[in-house]
Amino acid sequence: MDSSLFYGISTIAYIIAMVAYIAYLAFKKTSIGTAATALTTSGFVCHTVAFLLRWKEFDDIMQMGLLRAIPLTNLYESLVFFVWCIILVYLIIEFKYKNKSFGAFVTPIAGMALAFIDISGVSKDIHPLIPALQSNWLLAHVTLSFIAYATFAISFATALMYLILTTDNKKSGSYIFWTITAGLFGVILIAMALDFLVLKIILGGKESLIKNYLFKTTFRNPSGLVAALSYVISMILIFGVWRYGHLLKRLIESFSISENILDELTYKNIAIGFPVFTLGGLIFGAIWADQAWGRYWSWDPKETWSLITWFVYAFYIHARFLRGWRGKKIAIVAVIGFFSTIFTYLGVNLLLSGLHAYGGM
Amino acid sequence: MSKDKKTDKVSLIDQIWNFFSSVKLAVIVFALISVTSIIGTIIEQQADPQKNIMILKKFFGESAAPYIYNILDSLGFTDMYHSWWFVALLFIFAANLVICSVERLPRILKTVKEPPSALASELFNSMPIREEAVFDDNVVKVKEQTLSALKKNGFKTTVFEGEGNTQIFAEKGRYSRLGVYITHLSLLAILVGAVVGIYFGFNGYLNLLEGEQSSVAYSRNENEIPLGFEIRCDDFDVSFYEKSDTPKSFLSILTIIENGKEVLTKTIGVNEPLRYKGITFYQSSYGFSPSMSSLFKFKITLKNGKTEDVAIRFGEAFIIPDTSIKGTVSDFSPALAIDKRGRLFTYTDSMNNPAVFVEFTEHGKAVYNQWILKRYPETWSIPAGTVEFKDLWGAQYTGLQVRKDPGVWLVYLGCLLMSIGLYIAFFMSHSRIWINLTHNKGKTTLSLAATTNKYKTALQRKIDKIIRRN
């Protein structure tokens, strides 16, 4: 049996779960809610099975001991594991808070992310481990880092929802902040979808989408006119989000999630993510670097960006406890924290060079 | 006059103190370190100027890039993390951390040292958690039950007996308030450890050809750093995953020689360094630099099972035991490959697929010749048995990173303290509960007030459980 079959099943399960969550929010029937949870859980189980199968496939090739063969050594594997962590954190939240409204947001993100990873042309091959990665620290360092990333991702979603729910005045800073954030998110997704359409369907290209073709249809189009037009359209789209943001607010209001729960969830996720990130990402990373590279800290871009991310979340915690920041101000910090997180995870590998080059394509 | 001077002086120290203890400074330093670090990740550090000018061209265009590079270079951005101003920022950060912690410490210590005290009934309503319950039992019985339930949940209890009123004070996690300070202290330990490492340690490199030895390492500026002993590379070997050029391991066999005596031999690899007398040797790179004195090593196995190891230089000959057949190495390739038209070529200049061309002669007459490849046993067979090409020894050098860091234990201690501190700060809380028990017409009224610095709902749940137990 092949791990990709199970990844496929879990992708479909998450997408059907999304439909079920939305139906549950619309009709408020307990049976639909239970079905949604059951779908997400079974998707998660398949996802776990797929991960374990790949682990075994990897171990069969490597023959270096099970602990060292964790399949987390390239971008494809890490993205898949990132989604797994998000679903895990979500299921824990759903269980603890007995609130399913949030599922309508998380499951489509998970399903879409898995589908995107599948079609984006990120290499799925199993590559044998280079000597630097042959260490027991791989397991501890990488898994804990991704669990932290996942909690930060959820805190980003809750903080953004908080901002959408609590801002009315279109001229206020926090309204402009969230509309630009959400607008940019949408623009990037649309641009990537266009790349996919043009490259894979119209041109029938086989090359890697992210590596060779990202934004070539739009912002990086060889024709200057199309590129300029893309920027203009993006501006218009972001402006549109700003103009019609209240519709999004009404949508989230219909999910009946209270602001206080969102604020608490944002904090709780960071309160778990921050110590886990410090231990797994920074401390275990430093110990491993000390062993493998002979330096516990070398100002490598990944390290530096981890430190910046750590600063932002340290600021979040100090602002909350020392200054008593609550509400919109603190939610904005949480959103900025995730920007830094996503750059630490993806931006560093896609745009910068350095010692952590394994995460690339 | 002198009096005025004195007050001036005090106020100056006060000003400095206030400057360093302000949260505003912390925010500014956080922001400055972050923003400059971002620039440092975009501009490649300690890199070839041309590389960075290429990067700058993308942002500022052809003509402006060299100027901007010069400006950035003179400001230290090309080796930013070692520049005086970045180090100064880190020190200001440390000073700020210390002074902010010292400022808040007395208040926290007071809370930690404070003896248990009763809470006046009129203050009960000002507490964030309030509960009321009535029991059929008498006060003494309710008191005993409540006390045992509290103790079971890990609370320390004190009982205050008043007129017609019994108050129980229960407390848990008092010392968890120090978690923040442990975390801050750990950051300081790490910074001090880093400084100790920079001033009392060194970071160098050493390239050793197989068979070579050295008593010094080299700094980045090529200065010699004495080691206090000698180190020799006995062998270096790269192994590859089957049929690929993906390296599986880089291994160096190193021997330490002290006062002319061999004291230690160890095989090191990536992730497995050698430590001796405070100096650590890391496998960091390798290279290929053959010479006429490099040795071709073969293992000959005859049909009858007899084996013999031989080592010869280029152009020299070895004899197959029990025969008069001589083998001469007449060609070598560090990485032999075959192209589409069947021609042989060398595809890279490191020993990815070493191969030797051996000509076999008997009484001066050529009998056969063939390429023998180290990684392919099927090329080893000859009519008399097998000739395994084991290594071209003395042709590869191992690139070692050599480090002495007397501050590293402080950094590790800091990491440990930080783990403990963060655990206490995030997962433990300080909770206090006051319970008044009053007798009322044969029944006992329980009135409860509680406060915690974290996780109010968790405490609420625990209190519910404690009261229901009664």
Side-chain angles (χ1 to χ4, degrees), chain A residues 127-143:
Chain A
H127 294 287
L129 275 187
I130 58 164
L133 293 181
Q134 295 164 15
S135 166
N136 293 337
W137 287 108
L138 175 69
L139 181 76
H141 173 59
V142 182
T143 49

Side-chain angles (χ1 to χ4, degrees), chain B residues 423-434:
Chain B
Y423 180 80
I424 295 173
F426 281 96
F427 302 114
M428 290 170 85
S429 55
H430 181 201
S431 315
R432 281 172 292 177
I433 305 175
W434 292 269

Side-chain angles (χ1 to χ4, degrees), chain A residues 61-62 64 68 96 128-135 264 267-268 270-272 274-276 278-279 283 286-296 298-302 304-305 307-308 310-312 314-315 317-318 321-323 343 352-353, chain B residues 23 27 29-30 33-34 37-38 41-42 44-45 81-82 86 90 93 104 184 187 190 193-194 197 203 241 244 246-250 270-273 275 282-283 401 403 405 407-408 411-412 415-416 418-419 422 426-427 453-455 457 461:
Chain A
I61 292 174
M62 295 282 307
M64 270 185 190
R68 289 191 177 187
K96 277 198 91 170
L129 275 187
I130 58 164
L133 293 181
Q134 295 164 15
S135 166
E264 187 182 325
Y267 167 67
K268 285 245 163 100
I270 291 173
I272 290 169
F274 184 73
V276 170
T278 313
L279 183 73
I283 294 180
I287 297 172
W288 188 9
D290 189 34
Q291 267 184 25
W293 300 331
R295 275 174 191 198
Y296 50 82
S298 25
W299 294 106
D300 162 68
K302 195 94 168 178
T304 311
W305 272 97
L307 185 70
I308 295 167
W310 192 78
F311 272 170
V312 178
F315 178 79
I317 286 154
H318 285 87
F321 279 108
L322 231 53
R323 300 277 108 167
F343 198 84
L352 306 172
S353 62
Chain B
V23 178
V27 173
V29 172
F30 260 39
I33 292 178
S34 302
S37 294
I38 292 172
T41 59
I42 296 167
E44 254 185 75
Q45 299 295 299
Y81 304 109
H82 302 99
F86 192 76
L90 291 178
F93 169 61
R104 285 168 183 79
H184 286 178
L187 278 173
I190 291 171
N203 217 320
Y241 287 100
S244 80
T246 308
K248 188 175 188 177
S249 67
F250 306 111
V270 184
N271 282 310
E272 281 158 273
R275 277 171 229 274
Y282 300 88
Q283 183 69 56
Q401 190 177 335
R403 190 187 64 159
D405 191 343
V408 78
V411 174
Y412 276 80
C415 288
L416 184 69
M418 189 183 285
S419 312
L422 284 175
F426 281 96
F427 302 114
N453 63 340
K454 261 171 273 162
Y455 310 122
T457 40
R461 269 200 300 271

Side-chain angles (χ1 to χ4, degrees), chain B residues 317-330:
Chain B
F318 60 89
I319 293 172
I320 309 259
D322 305 338
T323 69
S324 45
I325 299 175
K326 271 190 191 171
T328 316
V329 174
S330 65

Side-chain angles (χ1 to χ4, degrees), chain A residues 233-248:
Chain A
I233 293 172
S234 306
M235 298 286 204
I236 295 171
L237 281 174
I238 293 170
F239 179 78
V241 176
W242 176 79
R243 181 66 188 77
Y244 297 103
H246 57 277
L247 296 178
L248 202 58

Side-chain angles (χ1 to χ4, degrees), chain B residues 56-126:
Chain B
L56 289 170
K57 274 179 186 166
K58 281 187 203 162
F59 293 97
F60 305 102
E62 284 292 318
S63 52
Y67 292 103
I68 290 172
Y69 177 81
N70 284 339
I71 295 169
L72 288 174
D73 190 38
S74 59
L75 290 174
F77 275 102
T78 49
D79 190 8
M80 195 194 99
Y81 304 109
H82 302 99
S83 70
W84 66 267
W85 52 264
F86 192 76
V87 175
L89 278 177
L90 291 178
F91 272 97
I92 295 171
F93 169 61
N96 183 250
L97 191 72
V98 173
I99 292 176
C100 280
S101 303
V102 167
E103 281 242 305
R104 285 168 183 79
L105 194 57
R107 216 176 64 217
I108 298 296
L109 281 181
K110 207 180 136 211
T111 320
V112 170
K113 280 185 184 160
E114 202 176 30
S117 60
L119 187 72
S121 302
E122 55 269 27
L123 288 176
F124 264 50
N125 276 327
S126 66

